[in-house]
């Protein structure tokens, strides 16, 4: 049972435009949601997080939106840059279980 | 930022042998460390949670006798894959949660170890 899903395995965006990566979850008990960026053969790098009591968090070019009623979150990258090309994972954290559940990942390719 | 290292970064071993992977937090103490496994083009799957000085907690379906975890100090956790078989070939990633973390969900990931069993 995949509690955190990223239904788009890949996404291509033109440089300078907006990249929108989506994530859906099933467990309403998650406390925090996080986005990680990962290059092949490397560990994930933290990008941005959001508490379950918020609906938006912004950090530079990255903004995460949370829609609790829809159990949906999204990561917006504006403007997209070629260096943003990587696999992006959303992760949900529960204080009850004290662990991350990762989504399946979306491969973003930003075209120059 | 906090740095987590893993050693080795890549290892090839013969079927039936054991392999040890080290995970170190270089500039902070980590009460809790996590071990993940990633199959090609798949998500990171949590294998086990290890707390310093106590036994690891394994996720359902992970054989604790096959994947031995030791968290002997606040800066070092080891994962030993015993009697490795080709199906154990994977990318193994550790993460560490600072003992004095600002946020409860804070984790820092190592660069991963590519294990290939021939």
């Amino acid at each position: 049972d995949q509690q955190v899903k990223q239904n788009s395995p890949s996404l291509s965006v033109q440089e300078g435009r907006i990249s929108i990566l989506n994530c859906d979850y099933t467990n309403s008990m998650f406390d925090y949601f996080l986005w990680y960026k990962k290059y092949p053969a490397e560990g994930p790098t933290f990008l941005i997080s959001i508490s379950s009591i918020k609906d938006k968090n912004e950090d530079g070019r990255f903004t995460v939106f949370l829609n609790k009623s829809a159990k949906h979150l999204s990561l917006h990258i504006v403007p997209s840059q070629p260096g943003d090309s990587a696999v992006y994972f959303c992760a949900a954290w529960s204080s009850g279980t004290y662990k991350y559940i990762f989504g399946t990942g979306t491969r973003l390719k930003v075209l120059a | 930022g906090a740095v987590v290292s893993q050693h080795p970064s890549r290892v090839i071993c013969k079927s039936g042998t054991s392999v040890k992977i080290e995970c170190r937090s270089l500039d902070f103490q980590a009460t809790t460390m996590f071990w993940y496994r990633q199959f090609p083009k798949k998500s990171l799957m949590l294998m086990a949670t290890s707390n310093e000085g106590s036994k690891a907690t394994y996720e359902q379906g992970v054989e604790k006798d096959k994947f031995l975890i030791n968290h002997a100090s606040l800066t070092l956790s080891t994962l030993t894959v015993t009697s490795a078989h080709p199906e154990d070939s994977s990318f193994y990633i550790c993460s560490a949660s600072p003992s004095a973390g600002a946020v409860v969900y804070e984790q820092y990931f190592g660069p991963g170890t590519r294990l290939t069993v021939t």
Side-chain angles (χ1 to χ4, degrees):
Chain A
D1 177 33
Q2 188 71 34
Q3 295 186 60
V4 181
K5 293 181 184 178
Q6 293 174 253
N7 291 318
S8 297
S10 64
L11 174 69
S12 290
V13 172
Q14 206 66 36
E15 181 180 8
R17 307 295 289 265
I18 184 171
S19 294
I20 300 176
L21 297 101
N22 294 302
C23 180
D24 298 293
Y25 62 96
T26 57
N27 188 343
S28 59
M29 300 301 290
F30 291 131
D31 301 280
Y32 291 91
F33 301 91
L34 306 94
W35 284 95
Y36 281 87
K37 178 180 180 179
K38 186 180 181 300
Y39 295 110
E42 292 186 12
T45 303
F46 171 75
L47 280 175
I48 192 168
S49 64
I50 187 167
S51 164
S52 61
I53 63 173
K54 305 273 189 183
D55 55 20
K56 178 182 175 181
N57 188 25
E58 191 172 353
D59 184 1
R61 295 187 298 116
F62 303 94
T63 303
V64 56
F65 296 92
L66 175 63
N67 182 333
K68 282 193 73 175
S69 60
K71 294 191 175 69
H72 176 85
L73 65 153
S74 61
L75 174 68
H76 292 210
I77 306 173
V78 180
S80 301
Q81 300 172 354
D84 295 329
S85 298
V87 177
Y88 288 78
F89 288 96
C90 68
W93 192 89
S94 166
S95 58
T97 58
Y98 202 80
K99 63 183 181 184
Y100 286 166
I101 304 292
F102 278 89
T104 46
T106 297
R107 181 176 301 278
L108 173 66
K109 185 180 286 187
V110 180
L111 307 169
Chain B
V3 179
V4 175
S5 70
Q6 276 184 246
H7 178 80
S9 58
R10 187 182 293 265
V11 58
I12 300 172
C13 71
K14 290 185 187 282
S15 187
T17 61
S18 295
V19 174
K20 181 187 282 188
I21 303 170
E22 291 187 350
C23 176
R24 292 182 186 272
S25 55
L26 298 184
D27 50 2
F28 65 98
Q29 293 185 328
T31 307
T32 306
M33 289 184 169
F34 303 85
W35 286 94
Y36 296 85
R37 181 175 178 176
Q38 185 185 23
F39 292 99
K41 298 183 180 179
K42 297 288 186 183
S43 183
L44 281 75
M45 303 299 295
L46 180 66
M47 298 174 65
T49 302
S50 76
N51 291 296
E52 186 263 339
S54 62
K55 289 184 178 180
T57 303
Y58 290 81
E59 294 299 302
Q60 192 172 14
V62 178
E63 300 175 58
K64 61 181 179 182
D65 294 330
K66 179 163 188 63
F67 298 99
L68 300 178
I69 291 172
N70 185 280
H71 192 160
S73 77
L74 287 172
T75 59
L76 174 65
S77 176
T78 60
L79 167 67
T80 302
V81 183
T82 62
S83 187
H85 288 98
E87 57 265 30
D88 298 325
S89 299
S90 193
F91 193 60
Y92 292 87
I93 305 174
C94 72
S95 71
S97 183
S99 301
V103 289
V104 293
Y105 57 82
E106 194 175 20
Q107 286 188 33
Y108 297 95
F109 286 82
T113 297
R114 169 73 59 194
L115 170 64
T116 303
V117 184
T118 61

